[in-house]
Amino acid sequence: MELIGQAYDWLLTGAVILLAVLIICSVVRSVLGPRIADRIIAVNMVGTMIIMIIAILSVYLEENYLVDICLIYAMISFLGVVVLCKVYTGVYLQKKRMHANMRAIEENLRHQQKDGGQQAMAEDQRMDER
C-alpha cells in the first residue's frame, strides 16, 4: 500500500511539474506570438493550466476549499478571455473601417483628379474656340 501512495505522490508531482513547464512555454508563446489572437489563446491556456494545477493540489493536499478557488479562478479566467476577445474584435473592426475609409478617400481623390482633368480639357477647348 505504501508503494501505491508513493506512486500516487510521484504522479501528482510529475503532473504539476509538467504543467509548470507548459505554462512557461505558453508565456513565451504569448510574448512572441505574431498576432493578437495567438496571444489571447496563450493567455487562455495559461489560465486553464493554472486551474488544473489548483485541482491537482486540492487532491494532493486533501483540501476541499481549493476546489472552490479553482472554480472561481475558472470564471474569472473565462471573463478575462471574453473581455480580451471583445477588445480585439473592436480594434480589428476599427482598423478595418479606417482602411475602408482611406480607400474611399483615395478613390474619391482619383475620381476628382480625373474629373478635374476633363474639366480643364473642356475649358482649354472653349478657350481655343474663342
Side-chain angles (χ1 to χ4, degrees):
M1 197 65 170
E2 181 67 30
L3 185 63
I4 293 175
Q6 284 181 345
Y8 190 66
D9 289 344
W10 280 102
L11 178 68
L12 293 178
T13 305
V16 169
I17 290 171
L18 178 67
L19 286 170
V21 170
L22 291 174
I23 286 173
I24 291 170
C25 292
S26 293
V27 168
V28 169
R29 178 65 179 174
S30 69
V31 171
L32 299 177
R35 295 183 302 256
I36 299 293
D38 295 331
R39 293 183 173 115
I40 291 173
I41 290 170
V43 167
N44 190 23
M45 286 175 55
V46 168
T48 302
M49 287 186 274
I50 288 174
I51 291 166
M52 292 168 57
I53 287 175
I54 294 171
I56 290 170
L57 286 175
S58 73
V59 171
Y60 185 71
L61 299 174
E62 297 177 1
E63 298 290 340
N64 293 333
Y65 70 90
L66 288 175
V67 176
D68 297 334
I69 292 172
C70 185
L71 291 172
I72 291 169
Y73 190 86
M75 289 187 289
I76 292 171
S77 177
F78 172 73
L79 288 176
V81 170
V82 168
V83 168
L84 285 174
C85 287
K86 183 71 174 169
V87 169
Y88 171 67
T89 304
V91 169
Y92 173 75
L93 291 176
Q94 185 179 11
K95 283 183 181 179
K96 189 175 178 181
R97 281 189 211 114
M98 188 184 323
H99 185 67
N101 288 341
M102 291 301 291
R103 188 179 296 161
I105 289 170
E106 289 173 358
E107 191 173 306
N108 191 9
L109 286 174
R110 272 188 258 130
H111 184 65
Q112 286 178 358
Q113 288 173 351
K114 182 180 170 185
D115 288 346
Q118 290 175 353
Q119 288 176 357
M121 287 175 49
E123 288 179 18
D124 286 345
Q125 287 177 355
R126 281 187 224 138
M127 292 297 270
D128 289 341
E129 289 175 1
R130 288 185 191 173

